[in-house]
Amino acid sequence: MAGDRVAGARAAIAAGARAIVMDDGFQNPSLAKSLSLVVVDGGYGFGNGMLLPAGPLREPVAEGLAHARAAVLIGEDRTGAATQIGNALPILRAQLTPVAGTGLSGRRVLAFAGIGRPEKFFDSLREAGAEIVESRPFPDHHPYSAGEVDAILKRAGDAGLLPVTTRKDWVRLPHDRRDGIAVLDITLTWQDAAVPAALLAGL
């Protein structure tokens, strides 16, 4: 991760990178983009459709769609996002699936996550066969303190539960507090893998 996107891109190219993928770089004008995608959570959609601070959007939906090549709709469309996108863009459908062999099937867990929608992580855990006995959502990008992690570990130990979190959260834990905390890794599964492949082939 680079706070300066241009410096980060130059360093990546100098190290041999042939492609640069930016997360949350849609409105960042510092790098010219060959391809922009709008990624939509099917369970959340475009929220209340309002701009910050009244809603989650940084620009009106129509304006965002106008400078994207395609939309990626992840999970079941529970909010009518596909209807809002309409014919403005091709829609690539996908879903998040737990990586095989997580070892969580049948395990009683204390789940915690500081992501945009912790409920998505909890759903993925259930899909992997885990039994969530306790769950603790934190704000997105939450910087975990040693005390917070100690409290989670103690509670999990007292209750005989396995503490588990996302990979994104695990890397934000203090280095000396990571032992004993399981991670559920996930992968993106395309409904039709040929569609994104064709999109990328044109670059």
Side-chain angles (χ1 to χ4, degrees), residues 23-87:
D23 176 31
D24 198 21
F26 197 70
Q27 286 88 15
N28 188 316
S30 61
L31 292 176
K33 303 172 187 69
S34 303
L35 175 69
S36 291
L37 302 172
V38 174
V39 181
V40 184
D41 178 347
Y44 187 76
F46 296 103
N48 62 5
M50 302 181 74
L51 303 183
L52 292 168
L57 303 180
R58 298 179 187 177
E59 62 183 337
V61 172
E63 290 183 19
L65 297 178
H67 55 264
R69 185 82 64 85
V72 178
L73 183 56
I74 300 177
E76 181 184 351
D77 184 9
R78 300 174 182 170
T79 65
T83 300
Q84 287 183 267
I85 296 168
N87 295 322

Side-chain angles (χ1 to χ4, degrees), residues 121-147:
F121 168 60
F122 302 149
D123 287 343
S124 294
L125 274 174
R126 295 184 184 98
E127 185 180 342
E131 178 188 348
I132 300 177
V133 179
E134 292 189 30
S135 61
R136 298 191 182 183
F138 289 87
D140 197 12
H141 304 292
H142 182 68
Y144 294 94
S145 69

